[in-house]
Amino acid sequence: MIKDSKNFFADKDVQVILGTLLRVGVISSMSVVFVGGLIYLFSNYSGLVDYEKFNPGKSGLSSISAIFSGLRSLDGSAIIQFGTLLLIFTPILRVVFSVFSFLIERDYLYVLIGLFVLCVILFSLSNKLVG
């Protein structure tokens, strides 16, 4: 009976850690996007934007390496993109943490399911982020 209550607290602790991980990820992403937005507004306040024709490759921030090189120069749009990446990678980190928590509990079926989910997520992002 003591062993059951210990597992209950371990499960509850894992849930608290996962909730905190998601909360911290979203708040940090929001903060980075806000700071990047302020930098972008202060550095580009006089620029005119042409909304007549959409050009998605105009910013040049379509890969992780381009975003990190923009971060080194404190480019506001690169900082905003980095905040978006933080928001994307927060649930991925949650899946990774869940896999490790299932490994600790020796629940190998859920480890396999978690690894499958992680592989699907990474495969779906692989051609979008590497360039």
Side-chain angles (χ1 to χ4, degrees), residues 44-92:
N44 298 332
Y45 64 91
S46 64
L48 294 176
V49 180
D50 182 22
Y51 290 111
E52 193 169 317
K53 194 170 192 182
F54 178 68
N55 187 0
K58 184 178 177 184
S59 70
L61 298 171
S62 58
S63 68
I64 292 178
S65 60
I67 292 170
F68 282 129
S69 66
L71 282 177
R72 280 181 279 198
S73 63
L74 290 178
D75 181 21
S77 56
I79 296 172
I80 293 170
Q81 288 281 46
F82 180 70
T84 306
L85 280 179
L86 284 177
L87 189 63
I88 290 170
F89 286 126
T90 298
I92 295 172

